[in-house]
Amino acid sequence: MIQKLLKPRVVILGSGWAGNTLARRLRKDLFDVRLISPANHFLFTPLLPSTAVGTLEFRAIEEPVRTIPGLGEYYQAKARTLDSEQKFVRCQDVFKGNFFDVKYDYLCIAAGSKTNTFNTPGVAEKEGKEVFFLKHLHHARQIRNRVLECFERATNPNISDFERRRLLSFVVVGGGPTSCEFTAELHDFLKKDVRKWYP
């Protein structure tokens, strides 16, 4: 215990590609490694589009943070402020919103980024209902649930052809790797799976 207290503390903000890799590669015999992130897992994002249509299960692309060998502590929280003179990070836990401080000797900021909507009207108001991002597991779950819901609603004999066409129209915005991969996964899902289930 005393030896652990004497080791320099490295605090890593973020459990994504950079934060997870650093936390795994740092020598725990030389450093007391602490990780702070609202996500308690590392997400293998290149396979995220496959989970949105059920090609892969969600658990196949996530690795719990607590499986990092020798990790000193993990805090499921968001870093809110930083005091570089006193060397601490003020954190807010994701469950109750309580604040707490974590001291550090070395700090690595690997917090990732948010999706930029470019202030497109209606995007923020319709997020999670008609507009879906694809950066996290909960986004993939939302997309999967919404696609299946649209097909179920389209089978209702009381809706018009116009409404049915609207429900079965999907628009993917963006031309990056995630959008392209999701479009291909959605196409395969519609042609190979949905065609068998829905007349």
Side-chain angles (χ1 to χ4, degrees), residues 34-185:
R34 310 285 174 108
L35 190 104
I36 301 168
S37 175
N40 66 353
H41 57 272
F42 165 72
L43 184 63
F44 191 77
T45 50
L47 295 178
L48 191 56
S50 298
T51 64
V53 296
T55 305
L56 288 175
E57 284 302 319
F58 301 112
R59 68 181 180 274
I61 67 165
E62 65 179 333
E63 180 71 25
V65 166
R66 294 194 181 272
T67 64
I68 297 172
L71 185 65
E73 283 291 339
Y74 164 67
Y75 305 102
Q76 192 164 8
K78 294 182 179 184
R80 293 301 189 190
T81 61
L82 168 66
D83 187 327
S84 58
E85 289 182 11
Q86 298 294 317
K87 290 195 164 187
F88 72 84
V89 178
R90 167 123 326 147
C91 302
Q92 183 178 22
D93 85 75
V94 298
F95 303 107
K96 294 192 173 185
N98 296 327
F99 287 90
F100 60 95
D101 297 336
V102 178
K103 292 188 117 346
Y104 65 86
D105 295 300
Y106 301 100
L107 178 67
C108 172
I109 301 174
S113 63
K114 284 191 163 266
T115 302
N116 189 347
T117 65
F118 302 100
N119 295 320
T120 305
V123 171
E125 297 80 19
K126 295 181 181 179
E127 183 184 352
K129 301 175 192 88
E130 296 173 19
V131 174
F132 301 92
F133 298 118
L134 190 52
K135 282 185 73 93
H136 304 287
L137 279 178
H138 70 273
H139 293 148
R141 284 187 185 99
Q142 286 178 326
I143 291 169
R144 186 191 292 190
N145 290 340
R146 179 63 175 167
V147 168
L148 293 175
E149 176 193 325
C150 285
F151 276 97
E152 292 300 338
R153 290 174 60 192
T155 62
N156 186 324
N158 296 324
I159 66 168
S160 67
D161 286 340
F162 175 81
E163 178 66 6
R164 185 171 290 111
R165 279 193 301 277
R166 188 190 71 77
L167 284 168
L168 300 178
S169 296
F170 303 98
V171 177
V172 179
V173 177
T178 303
S179 297
C180 292
E181 184 63 32
F182 175 71
T183 302
E185 289 282 353

Side-chain angles (χ1 to χ4, degrees), residues 49-50 53-55 147 151 180-197:
S50 298
V53 296
T55 305
V147 168
F151 276 97
C180 292
E181 184 63 32
F182 175 71
T183 302
E185 289 282 353
L186 181 62
H187 175 269
D188 291 348
F189 177 66
L190 297 175
K191 294 293 183 186
K192 296 177 182 175
D193 296 327
V194 173
R195 183 174 278 178
K196 291 184 280 187
W197 305 332

Side-chain angles (χ1 to χ4, degrees), residues 17-29:
W17 290 93
N20 186 278
T21 301
L22 181 62
R24 289 184 182 281
R25 290 186 180 176
L26 276 174
R27 289 184 51 183
K28 310 310 185 297
D29 59 328

